[in-house]
C-alpha cells in the first residue's frame, strides 16, 4: 500500500512538471500566435495520443460515450478555461498566474454548497474564506502593482471548478480514459470552428514548440489521472502545488520573472486552504463508504 502511494506521488509530481512545461511553452507561443490557434494545434496533435491511451487503458469500450452532450458541454468549459489562462500568461508572470489558479478547490467547495446544496461545515467555509484572502494578497486590488489581467487566472479557476463538478453529468459507466479522450476531442472540434478566422502562418522554428505543448500537456494529464488511481486524493492532490516551484523556476530561467514576497505569501494561504479542503473532502468520502 505504501509503495502504491509512493508511485502515485511520483506520477503526480512528474505530471505537474509536464503541465508546467506545457504552460511555459504556451506563454512563449502567445507572443506570436492567437490563443485559440495554439489550443487547436495542441488538441489536434494530442488527439491521436489520447485515442491510443484510451484504447490501451480502457479498450474499445473507452471510445464509446453514453452522454456525448455532456462531453460537449465539458469541452466548452475546458476550452474557455484554457483560453483565459493562456491569455493571462501573455500578461502575467507564470508563477503569479499559477498561484491564482490554485484557488480552484475553493471554488469547487463554494459552488457545491451554494448551487448544489451540499453540506459544508464551518471549518471548510473558513478554508474557503482563507482562499479568497490569499487571492486578494496576490492580486492586491487598489494597489499600485495591481494588474487587471490578474483577474483572468481567478476566472480560469471558476471555469475549472465547474468543469470538475460537471464530471457528475457524465454517465457513471464511462471510464476516466473516456473523459480524457472526449475532452481533448471536444477541445479540438470547438477550437477548429474559430481558428480559421485568426490563423497565423506557423514559422518552421516554432513547430517543435507546438509538438512540445501537445506532448507535455497530454503526458501531464495522463500521469495525473494515473496518480489518482494509485493513491487517495488526500495523498497525491497536495503535490499539485509543486507547480508553483516549476512555474517560478521556468519564469526565472526564460523570462527573468521573480515574484515578490507577497505573491508567495498569498500563494501559501491559497495552498493551505486548498489542502485543507481536499483532505477534508477525502475524510468525508471515506466516512460515507465505511
Amino acid at each position: 500500500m505504501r509503495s502504491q502511494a509512493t508511485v502515485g506521488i511520483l506520477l503526480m509530481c512528474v505530471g505537474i512538471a509536464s503541465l508546467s512545461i506545457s504552460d511555459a511553452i504556451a506563454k512563449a507561443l502567445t507572443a506570436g500566435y492567437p490563443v485559440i490557434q495554439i489550443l487547436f494545434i495542441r488538441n489536434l496533435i494530442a488527439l491521436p495520443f489520447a485515442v491510443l491511451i484510451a484504447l490501451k487503458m480502457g479498450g474499445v469500450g473507452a471510445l464509446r460515450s453514453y452522454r456525448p452532450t455532456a462531453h460537449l458541454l465539458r469541452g466548452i468549459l475546458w476550452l474557455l478555461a484554457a483560453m483565459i489562462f493562456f491569455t493571462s500568461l501573455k500578461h502575467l508572470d507564470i508563477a503569479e498566474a499559477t498561484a491564482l489558479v490554485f484557488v480552484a478547490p475553493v471554488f469547487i467547495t463554494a459552488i457545491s454548497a451554494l448551487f448544489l446544496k451540499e453540506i459544508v461545515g464551518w471549518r471548510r467555509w473558513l478554508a474557503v474564506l482563507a482562499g479568497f484572502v490569499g487571492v486578494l494578497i496576490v492580486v492586491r486590488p487598489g494597489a499600485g502593482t495591481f494588474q487587471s489581467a490578474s483577474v483572468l487566472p481567478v476566472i480560469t479557476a471558476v471555469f475549472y471548478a465547474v468543469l470538475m463538478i460537471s464530471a457528475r453529468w457524465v454517465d457513471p459507466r464511462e471510464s476516466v480514459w473516456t473523459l480524457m479522450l472526449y475532452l481533448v476531442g471536444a477541445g479540438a472540434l470547438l477550437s477548429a470552428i474559430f481558428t480559421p478566422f485568426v490563423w497565423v502562418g506557423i514559422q518552421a522554428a516554432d513547430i517543435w514548440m507546438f509538438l512540445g505543448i501537445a506532448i507535455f500537456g497530454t503526458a501531464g494529464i495522463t500521469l495525473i489521472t494515473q496518480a489518482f488511481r494509485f493513491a487517495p486524493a488526500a495523498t497525491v492532490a497536495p503535490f499539485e502545488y509543486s507547480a508553483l516551484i516549476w512555474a517560478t523556476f521556468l519564469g526565472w530561467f526564460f523570462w527573468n520573472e521573480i515574484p515578490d514576497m507577497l505573491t508567495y505569501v498569498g500563494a501559501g494561504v491559497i495552498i493551505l486552504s486548498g489542502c485543507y479542503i481536499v483532505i477534508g473532502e477525502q475524510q468525508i468520502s471515506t466516512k460515507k463508504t465505511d
Side-chain angles (χ1 to χ4, degrees):
M1 191 68 178
R2 184 175 296 177
S3 61
Q4 279 197 326
T6 302
V7 172
I9 291 170
L10 181 62
L11 288 171
M12 173 61 76
C13 291
V14 177
I16 289 298
S18 297
L19 284 184
S20 299
I21 293 171
S22 176
D23 289 343
I25 297 172
K27 180 177 176 65
L29 287 172
T30 56
Y33 300 92
V35 168
I36 192 69
Q37 180 179 340
I38 296 170
L39 288 169
F40 167 68
I41 297 175
R42 185 181 81 166
N43 287 315
L44 188 65
I45 297 173
L47 188 56
F49 293 102
V51 172
L52 290 174
I53 292 169
L55 285 172
K56 175 69 175 177
M57 303 302 298
V60 178
L63 303 181
R64 179 183 178 184
S65 171
Y66 295 92
R67 294 178 185 169
T69 304
H71 289 291
L72 181 62
L73 292 173
R74 296 187 81 240
I76 293 172
L77 289 169
W78 181 87
L79 189 64
L80 287 171
M83 285 181 62
I84 295 169
F85 183 65
F86 281 9
T87 301
S88 75
L89 291 177
K90 190 173 183 177
H91 304 284
L92 299 174
D93 290 358
I94 190 171
E96 179 181 349
T98 300
L100 290 170
V101 169
F102 286 160
V103 80
V106 172
F107 282 117
I108 291 174
T109 301
I111 292 171
S112 298
L114 297 175
F115 297 99
L116 302 181
K117 305 304 179 183
E118 293 187 359
I119 298 174
V120 175
W122 65 269
R123 291 183 180 86
R124 281 196 291 162
W125 273 120
L126 282 179
V128 168
L129 180 61
F132 286 125
V133 170
V135 169
L136 292 176
I137 294 173
V138 176
V139 174
R140 278 160 277 173
T145 56
F146 173 73
Q147 298 184 67
S148 57
S150 298
V151 178
L152 296 177
V154 180
I155 297 173
T156 300
V158 174
F159 278 109
Y160 181 77
V162 178
L163 176 64
M164 293 298 100
I165 293 173
S166 71
R168 304 177 189 183
W169 306 341
V170 178
D171 193 287
R173 291 172 290 180
E174 297 180 22
S175 70
V176 67
W177 307 111
T178 305
L179 268 69
M180 179 195 71
L181 172 61
Y182 277 83
L183 203 60
V184 174
L189 175 64
L190 293 167
S191 57
I193 297 172
F194 303 100
T195 298
F197 299 101
V198 296
W199 182 266
V200 173
I202 299 175
Q203 302 295 317
D206 294 334
I207 292 176
W208 71 271
M209 296 181 72
F210 281 103
L211 287 170
I213 196 175
I215 292 171
F216 281 108
T218 305
I221 293 171
T222 304
L223 291 169
I224 291 169
T225 302
Q226 281 285 69
F228 284 104
R229 297 182 70 201
F230 275 90
T235 301
V236 299
F239 288 90
E240 289 188 58
Y241 299 113
S242 63
L244 185 59
I245 299 173
W246 286 104
T248 301
F249 170 75
L250 292 168
W252 166 77
F253 188 82
F254 290 106
W255 296 282
N256 198 31
E257 297 173 349
I258 303 176
D260 60 23
M261 184 55 65
L262 278 178
T263 298
Y264 286 115
V265 171
V269 174
I270 294 170
I271 289 170
L272 288 174
S273 66
C275 286
Y276 184 87
I277 289 170
V278 169
I279 294 171
E281 290 285 353
Q282 182 67 24
Q283 290 175 342
I284 292 170
S285 177
T286 302
K287 289 179 181 177
K288 286 181 179 178
T289 55
D290 287 343

